[in-house]
Amino acid sequence: MTNVTRPIQVLIPPRYCATKAKRLWVRLLGWVAQTLRPVEITRQGQASLILVPANTFEALIRHRDPWSDRRIILRERLFRPNGLTPGVEHRWPQQSSTGVRDSLQDTLDWVNRCNLPLLVTRRGRSGLLMMSIKLFQENWRVR
């Protein structure tokens, strides 16, 4: 029996510059949610960020992450941000899709500075996570 080595899988996500991403924001979010593939948002002279489906990211890290102490359980009687349902555990700081689009550069700076994923909530739809390249590479597991 021969020992066959498996080829290394390299993920190169589609790239959009921040200016173009802001203009196409709603379509970009829809594409990421539908295909379950990450997208890289580039910025001139600064580090890129990655946008991934929150559910896919959570399934891939499987509670082997440094954010376990940040879990928040939403109660039925409290206001629910877009796309979040009570009883589901969420551990991420969050901002609405509209808020992110309206202040995209500030949001991208915050994500890089804090080195935490940001949950982008969408009315009635599952959320997406925006994170730094470093966090993405450390935690994304290709299936």
Side-chain angles (χ1 to χ4, degrees):
M1 189 188 300
T2 60
N3 188 4
V4 178
T5 57
R6 297 175 68 184
I8 297 172
Q9 294 182 345
V10 178
L11 176 65
I12 302 174
R15 291 179 171 173
Y16 289 87
C17 70
T19 306
K20 186 175 181 181
K22 184 173 183 174
R23 198 169 10 104
L24 301 173
W25 185 246
V26 174
R27 287 181 21 207
L28 184 61
L29 294 181
W31 185 87
V32 171
Q34 182 181 11
T35 63
L36 304 179
R37 293 187 57 208
V39 163
E40 181 178 356
I41 299 174
T42 62
R43 301 182 298 158
Q44 191 170 3
Q46 297 180 25
S48 300
L49 286 112
I50 297 284
L51 190 62
V52 299
N55 295 341
T56 304
F57 185 76
E58 292 228 347
L60 293 175
I61 59 175
R62 293 191 196 125
H63 305 291
R64 296 172 304 185
D65 61 88
W67 305 289
S68 295
D69 60 335
R70 293 185 49 88
R71 294 184 197 280
I72 300 165
I73 298 180
L74 302 173
R75 295 190 202 132
E76 188 77 45
R77 69 187 187 328
L78 297 177
F79 168 74
R80 297 189 307 259
N82 299 341
L84 305 183
T85 56
V88 177
E89 294 180 340
H90 296 280
R91 65 189 100 180
W92 320 113
Q94 59 210 14
Q95 188 173 351
S96 74
S97 168
T98 305
V100 172
R101 185 199 65 215
D102 291 348
S103 60
L104 186 61
Q105 292 300 335
D106 291 339
T107 302
L108 298 178
D109 288 340
W110 182 89
V111 171
N112 262 342
R113 231 183 9 261
C114 294
N115 208 26
L116 284 171
L118 175 71
L119 179 65
V120 179
T121 59
R122 304 181 311 143
R123 184 171 301 280
R125 297 186 176 127
S126 60
L128 303 171
L129 284 174
M130 185 179 290
M131 67 188 71
S132 68
I133 291 281
K134 179 184 172 198
L135 283 180
F136 177 75
Q137 291 172 341
E138 290 172 355
N139 295 289
W140 187 262
R141 306 281 187 256
V142 178
R143 289 187 265 190

